[in-house]
Amino acid sequence: MNIDIEGYGTVEDPAPRGELTQLVANLSNALRAQNPHAQISMDAVGYPANGFWWTGYDWPKLAQLVDFLVVMMYNLLNVDACSRGNCSLQPRYSIYAQSALPAHAETVKQYKTRGVPPSKLVL
């Protein structure tokens, strides 16, 4: 099972992170009770990470609750415009695309700095 909950919490109000962590714990425990061989993953932010992506999620605890975190790394940089409702813009490819090797290395470094073992990350 893969859990994908995006945009949870804000920089100003990171309080829900405990509730999200508990939800993932409950879901993981229930699934593993039904199937001890189940694998559970959770989508996680890719580089560049900032704002609620770090404050709204307790990544070290979430990494303990799931088998691995699937880091969302994409080839496009301007996908944010569509998420804000302006989907008329054509996606641009960029030399700064998140799939570039330096971005992967920085992502692993960011998670490691925050207490997530690199072995828990799937890029």
Side-chain angles (χ1 to χ4, degrees):
M1 171 180 281
N2 182 66
I3 303 165
D4 184 3
I5 300 175
E6 298 182 29
Y8 188 80
T10 64
V11 173
E12 296 81 19
D13 184 19
R17 68 189 271 167
E19 295 171 8
L20 175 64
T21 304
Q22 189 60 54
L23 173 71
V24 173
N26 292 345
L27 182 60
S28 295
N29 290 336
L31 185 59
R32 288 191 172 112
Q34 292 294 315
N35 180 356
H37 304 289
Q39 284 194 327
I40 303 165
S41 62
M42 183 166 183
D43 287 353
V45 65
Y47 176 80
N50 56 43
F52 67 82
W53 288 107
W54 290 125
T55 59
Y57 300 78
D58 189 338
W59 293 116
K61 286 185 182 174
L62 291 167
Q64 291 174 358
L65 296 169
V66 299
D67 295 298
F68 48 91
L69 298 174
V70 179
V71 182
M72 299 180 288
M73 301 287 284
Y74 304 105
N75 290 329
L76 304 176
L77 191 62
N78 75 336
V79 293
D80 187 52
C82 191
S83 70
R84 292 184 310 221
N86 185 2
C87 295
S88 62
L89 296 175
Q90 291 297 315
R92 289 190 317 261
Y93 290 90
S94 167
I95 61 170
Y96 303 107
Q98 294 177 345
S99 62
L101 184 58
H104 286 277
E106 182 63 26
T107 296
V108 173
K109 180 178 156 188
Q110 284 183 343
Y111 278 100
K112 186 175 179 182
T113 299
R114 286 169 172 79
V116 176
S119 62
K120 285 284 193 160
L121 302 176
V122 173
L123 302 177

